[in-house]
Amino acid sequence: MNAFEYASPTSVDDAVSLLSDSWGETEVLAGGTDLLTLLKQGLTAPRLVVSLSNVKQLSGISKKGGSLEIGATTTLSELVANADVQEHFPALVTAANNIGSTQILNAGTVGGDLLQRPRCWYFRNGFGLFGTHDGEPLVPTGDNRYHAIFGNSGAAKFVNASSLAPGLIALGATLSVQGPGGAREVKASEFYSTPKSENDREYTLKPNEVLTGVSIPMQGLRNGTYEVRQRRGLDWPMVAASVAFEHGGGTVSDARIVLGHVAPVPWFAEKASKELGGKQPNDAALKSASEAAVADATPLSRNGYKVQQLRVAVRRAIEAALA
Ligand SMILES: Cc1cc2nc3c(=O)[nH]c(=O)nc-3n(C[C@H](O)[C@H](O)[C@H](O)COP(=O)(O)OP(=O)(O)OC[C@H]3O[C@@H](n4cnc5c(N)ncnc54)[C@H](O)[C@@H]3O)c2cc1C
């Protein structure tokens, strides 16, 4: 690991003032469960690491108006143990509970989960976000079994690794961010972006901004998540689906189906969401929604299996939300 300076400010303003406007010169440290790996593997070599552990205002969960506010450094354990989260947002509880191990849940934070870097093994082994060697792309003809089946026509073929992001997008959450120019809010659905160059990141957060929190409207939407995993613990899902919708008067409305671990960004399944809307959530409606969810999939040479997994994940996520 390269040597770096370490700062532990006590306010967001001070943290922001320490950050560079170029990616990689400085890095924000929350629980460190991803950042320390990136540092040790030389995937980032900042001159300064800015810890958020002493910025107390960033931690905790509270109700404000009709929303639940979750501080960025709230741990995943705190998230799943919170009574309001359990009552209103089972989609998030399921997603968070499936993450890694007790140790990761205790150390990892909500903000860190949303901003973790891709797990693509080309990226993690030093071949960059696009997985190239001597300018040649390695992913299309290489081992792409865990790569994207949507949004993969460009250079980026990794999948977004966050299990919380699809649920937050389905629930209509808003993220708060603070930078040198002050605070701004961004819809969770607009927070992620597919990088166009190796120097970009997978989100719209700027290098000198701190993610301060997440706000989720408590609208009484039914919601659920279903993940397909090879094993429990110490791994990421192969595919996941999070759904949220209103279910009054027998029919579904305001349906949002968001897919995880299948594209460089959390993938809003627009056709599937429309397909479910206005219908009674019976067997035929679930079947047509899950078919619509995979209709535009473009699997790579070794990940066609994800298509069937996704059909199942969408159906079971809807069933979980109805249960
Ligand atoms: C074995 C294993 C299995 C896992 N399985 C899953 C899984 O199934 N699903 C899943 O979603 N995750 C999984 N994870 C990832 C885990 O959830 C993340 O590592 C963790 O949530 C990151 O949180 P952290 O606080 O430790 O972040 P850190 O490691 O401290 O930071 C992660 C990244 O986010 C940036 N960052 C963090 N907080 C902020 C902030 N507030 N503002 C600006 N930048 C910030 C950091 O600079 C860094 O780039 C797994 C991890 C491991 C090790």
Side-chain angles (χ1 to χ4, degrees), residues 137-178:
L138 300 171
V139 182
T141 53
D143 193 340
N144 51 41
R145 75 184 94 160
Y146 300 127
H147 285 77
I149 60 170
F150 294 100
N152 55 7
S153 60
K157 301 192 192 302
F158 60 83
V159 298
N160 181 281
S162 172
S163 291
L164 291 183
L168 289 174
I169 293 170
L171 288 161
T174 302
L175 307 186
S176 315
V177 160
Q178 191 168 323

Side-chain angles (χ1 to χ4, degrees), residues 122 125-140 198:
Y122 294 100
N125 283 290
F127 295 97
L129 270 181
F130 300 157
T132 56
H133 184 58
D134 289 340
E136 289 301 313
L138 300 171
V139 182
E198 284 288 350

Side-chain angles (χ1 to χ4, degrees), residues 103-259:
Q103 290 89 338
I104 293 163
L105 291 177
N106 286 343
T109 63
V110 170
D113 184 83
L114 296 175
L115 293 165
Q116 63 181 294
R117 307 298 312 276
R119 301 307 308 176
C120 165
W121 41 35
Y122 294 100
F123 171 65
R124 295 277 165 174
N125 283 290
F127 295 97
L129 270 181
F130 300 157
T132 56
H133 184 58
D134 289 340
E136 289 301 313
L138 300 171
V139 182
T141 53
D143 193 340
N144 51 41
R145 75 184 94 160
Y146 300 127
H147 285 77
I149 60 170
F150 294 100
N152 55 7
S153 60
K157 301 192 192 302
F158 60 83
V159 298
N160 181 281
S162 172
S163 291
L164 291 183
L168 289 174
I169 293 170
L171 288 161
T174 302
L175 307 186
S176 315
V177 160
Q178 191 168 323
R184 66 181 175 98
E185 300 206 324
V186 52
K187 288 180 184 167
S189 58
E190 294 169 4
F191 186 67
Y192 293 96
S193 65
T194 302
K196 304 272 183 305
S197 89
E198 284 288 350
N199 296 326
D200 293 345
R201 294 237 169 149
E202 312 80 52
Y203 32 78
T204 55
L205 188 84
K206 299 192 183 95
N208 53 5
E209 287 181 325
V210 169
L211 175 65
T212 53
V214 179
S215 173
I216 318 173
M218 298 166 89
Q219 298 170 308
L221 296 180
R222 285 176 176 267
N223 59 91
T225 289
Y226 191 87
E227 299 182 336
V228 181
R229 290 174 170 263
Q230 264 167 335
R231 55 184 177 176
R232 271 196 70 83
L234 298 183
D235 212 344
W236 282 254
M238 290 176 287
V239 306
S242 290
V243 304
F245 53 80
E246 264 185 51
H247 183 220
T251 57
V252 167
S253 61
D254 203 8
R256 300 163 210 159
I257 300 176
V258 186
L259 313 176

Side-chain angles (χ1 to χ4, degrees), residues 18-73:
L18 291 165
L19 293 174
S20 161
D21 58 6
S22 297
W23 283 122
E25 280 189 17
T26 55
E27 294 282 2
V28 171
L29 173 71
T33 58
D34 189 26
L35 187 70
L36 288 188
T37 314
L38 296 164
L39 290 168
K40 285 180 183 173
Q41 293 185 327
L43 294 171
T44 183
R47 63 171 167 76
L48 172 68
V49 169
V50 179
S51 169
L52 298 180
S53 59
N54 283 322
V55 187
K56 301 300 176 209
Q57 75 192 80
L58 290 181
S59 174
I61 302 178
S62 59
K63 279 191 206 166
K64 192 169 156 200
S67 297
L68 199 66
E69 310 282 321
I70 302 170
T73 63

